[in-house]
Amino acid sequence: MEYVRDLIIIGGGPAGFTAGIYAARAGLDAIVIEEGFGGGQAATSPWMENYPGFEGIGGMDLMMKMKAHAEKNLQVETGSRVEYIRKEGDVFHVNAGARGYSAHAIIFATGAGYKKLGVPGEAKFLGSGVSYCATCDGMFFRGKRVAVIGGGNSGATEALHLKHVGADVTLVHRRDTLRAEKILQDQLISEGVKLLLNMDTKEIIGEGAVTGIKFFNRVSKQEETHEFAGVFISVGVEPNTALATSLGAELDSEGFIKTDRQMRTSQRMIYAAGDVTGGLRQVITACAGGAVAAMSAYEDVRTPYWA
Ligand code: NAP
């Protein structure tokens, strides 16, 4: 006979691990299914200084602590990509590789991927100078000129990390003021990160590997080419919503999964938490969402309000 769990949590980042810990401790028979190694985008953050309890910690370090904590409480299935989900009666059937899992409730903690710039050369030079992750690839650029594109908190954090590994870093932004918080802007200046403002990136150029970027200067209204050996793109995120929408979960106007304050989606027994739901997109808010989603799932599995 088919084994039906109470809850399947899809995604092993801050939201998924926290949901797993709360669900298991509440007594739900739950599992976390994660396509990679676990940790999500947070694991690629070079350094965090705003997760309470840790004045400073690497993203990977923090996420491996969360993963180990989750694994003490429930099964965390890594390296298992969920391909599709179908609902039959009140049971969800989840297909991940060669394996199948069934449950009465699902939490989507599927996170977000890197938004692309969409300029010529971006895809062509991916892995040959173009990267979306300074923690992963920064070491290859020690002593080299690199550009970080994007003026948000991620761009600033990536730029600082690249500076720390010994690259010559220029942060490129399309407007004249950065979006990043003040403390990060102050660090950029004190650490000697150069700023190139009012620049639209038009093309990433190279021969075999990146050699530079063609910009349109919004002030002079002229095209300019600057030499770089590496281009780190940090222009925001795109939520991974396809599985949730395949089950009818509604999205909000910005394309994130819509939830109520209890992290219930528009579909019964389907919940969402973390970056896939938008909002502040911080590790701490992802964890909070995961905890709330798990407790809502617990309430609905054990004592449904509609029964
Ligand atoms: P973000 O805050 O949305 O910033 C994206 C940046 O990329 C913006 O400066 C934006 O320019 C620029 N951009 C977007 N599309 C572009 C394009 N096509 N061409 C050129 N530039 C483009 O995204 P994020 O920095 O990835 O941060 C995501 C979330 O994680 C945020 O909520 C952030 O606060 C959080 N986060 C926090 C920390 C921290 O607390 N230390 C660290 C990392 C991330 P405009 O400014 O002109 O829109």
Side-chain angles (χ1 to χ4, degrees):
M1 212 177 90
E2 182 187 31
Y3 174 39
V4 183
R5 291 177 164 84
D6 292 319
L7 173 66
I8 293 173
I9 299 157
I10 303 177
F17 287 150
T18 308
I21 293 166
Y22 274 75
R25 289 174 60 84
L28 289 183
D29 177 5
I31 183 172
V32 175
I33 303 177
E34 155 63 31
E35 67 176 326
F37 181 69
Q41 269 199 331
T44 69
S45 175
W47 193 245
M48 296 181 194
E49 294 183 347
N50 53 9
Y51 188 79
F54 298 91
E55 284 177 25
I57 187 166
M60 178 63 85
D61 192 6
L62 179 62
M63 292 321 302
M64 289 308 101
K65 286 183 197 300
M66 284 193 199
K67 184 182 179 192
H69 190 171
E71 283 172 335
K72 282 221 161 97
N73 287 273
L74 83 169
Q75 184 184 349
V76 175
E77 192 72 34
T78 53
S80 209
R81 181 180 167 80
V82 174
E83 266 123 36
Y84 65 91
I85 307 171
R86 74 194 148 80
K87 193 174 181 204
E88 266 176 23
D90 63 351
V91 176
F92 296 96
H93 302 279
V94 172
N95 271 72
R99 296 224 171 120
Y101 306 86
S102 300
H104 294 291
I106 304 246
I107 295 177
F108 286 101
T110 40
Y114 299 109
K115 201 161 128 190
K116 307 287 183 295
L117 256 181
V119 297
E122 181 178 17
K124 181 177 171 190
F125 295 115
L126 181 63
S128 305
V130 171
S131 171
Y132 298 87
C133 175
T135 311
C136 320
D137 302 322
M139 289 306 284
F140 301 118
F141 296 91
R142 185 190 294 265
K144 297 188 178 158
R145 266 176 66 85
V146 299
V148 175
I149 299 177
N153 281 333
S154 297
T157 308
E158 296 278 277
L160 288 166
H161 177 73
L162 288 161
K163 190 76 192 173
H164 295 158
V165 301
D168 177 2
V169 188
T170 302
L171 182 68
V172 179
H173 185 38
R174 61 184 173 184
R175 291 184 296 119
D176 61 354
T177 46
L178 298 182
R179 185 181 289 277
E181 62 196 18
K182 186 177 180 301
I183 194 166
L184 287 172
Q185 294 197 33
D186 291 347
Q187 284 175 25
L188 290 172
I189 292 163
S190 65
E191 305 260 348
V193 171
K194 293 172 220 161
L195 294 182
L196 198 52
L197 301 175
N198 300 302
M199 291 291 188
D200 281 325
T201 301
K202 302 308 283 182
E203 185 178 354
I204 298 168
I205 54 174
E207 285 167 30
V210 168
T211 56
I213 304 177
K214 262 190 204 162
F215 295 111
F216 176 75
N217 184 324
R218 289 183 175 200
V219 177
S220 70
K221 310 281 183 213
Q222 302 288 318
E223 281 209 348
E224 301 177 15
T225 300
H226 293 244
E227 283 181 20
F228 293 107
V231 182
F232 288 79
I233 297 168
S234 212
V235 294
V237 295
E238 264 171 343
N240 299 317
T241 56
L243 287 168
T245 54
S246 77
L247 293 172
E250 282 175 25
L251 303 182
D252 65 19
S253 57
E254 292 176 53
F256 296 95
I257 300 177
K258 198 165 152 183
T259 64
D260 64 12
R261 291 184 61 177
Q262 277 66 48
M263 311 316 280
R264 292 182 173 103
T265 71
S266 60
Q267 296 296 317
R268 191 172 276 181
M269 305 304 274
I270 302 180
Y271 313 82
D275 280 9
V276 77
T277 62
L280 201 54
R281 309 205 304 272
Q282 299 285 297
V283 174
I284 193 154
T285 51
C287 291
V292 173
M295 297 321 289
S296 297
Y298 169 73
E299 193 180 311
D300 297 349
V301 167
R302 291 285 180 259
T303 47
Y305 58 86
W306 58 85

